[in-house]
Amino acid sequence: MLKIREAIVVEGRYDKNTLAQMVDTVILETAGFGIFKDKEKLALLRKIGEKRGLIILTDSDGAGFVIRNYLRGALPQDQVKHAYVPDLFGKEKRKRKPGKEGKLGVEGMRPEVLEQALLRAGATLLEGESGAAPAAVPLTKADLFACGLSGGVGSREKRRALLKKLELPQHLSPNAMLPVLSALYDREELLAEMENL
């Protein structure tokens, strides 16, 4: 499994599921063209891009390039890398027929093709770094519970207050919050934010 620094931006949940089996990093979805109207998600992408960097990985069809070009104009380019999948024709296993252009999307690519696309884009590998600082303690669901952000009386209100303070989308559930907070904060930083809440 590739462990990389940058977060990866994909079009949808099937792309995310495919990548999650081979890459250890935060993977965010645009919900297809939904990104055009979702200012909160765009702000989230900017925030994570500032902290970790982003790799845009969309399908090689026309729709994928429309989304990629929108993000190219909406995000700071010094924080974004672009990974491209080749034009391969076929259909994904879950579909009855090929897409409009007949090309395989990210979800239909073999793992080695996706790995090469990420490496060509300049993904920062985290395994085997010499002289690297000790890794920060990652956040867990237990941390969210201990902070009162899930599973308790008033946890929804605390969660919304924290998300508002951190300028993150207000509709994030505890499960959706965990990878986002993990991309931006370690356990100590989150506890400090909770104390200042």
Side-chain angles (χ1 to χ4, degrees), residues 7-83:
I8 301 174
V9 181
V10 296
E11 292 180 51
R13 70 175 177 255
Y14 294 107
D15 300 331
K16 180 178 180 177
N17 291 343
T18 298
L19 279 173
Q21 296 173 35
M22 55 164 292
V23 178
D24 182 10
T25 192
V26 176
I27 304 169
L28 303 163
E29 305 168 38
T30 66
F33 292 144
I35 191 68
F36 298 158
K37 294 181 181 178
D38 195 340
K39 301 300 178 202
E40 283 187 334
K41 186 165 282 185
L42 200 54
L44 174 62
L45 291 176
R46 286 186 185 116
K47 191 170 209 137
I48 291 180
E50 185 178 323
K51 179 91 173 184
R52 302 175 66 133
L54 296 170
I55 296 176
I56 309 294
L57 180 61
T58 59
D59 295 348
S60 61
D61 60 6
F65 274 88
V66 169
I67 294 167
R68 181 185 297 276
N69 289 332
Y70 173 77
L71 293 174
R72 187 184 312 260
L75 299 170
Q77 288 308 295
D78 62 330
Q79 299 166 4
V80 177
K81 297 175 181 177
H82 292 272

Side-chain angles (χ1 to χ4, degrees), residues 5 18 20 27 36 66 76 82 109 112 117 124-125 131 146 148 169 188:
R5 175 170 171 50
T18 298
I27 304 169
F36 298 158
V66 169
H82 292 272
M109 295 290 155
E112 55 271 14
T124 307
L125 299 178
E188 291 178 14

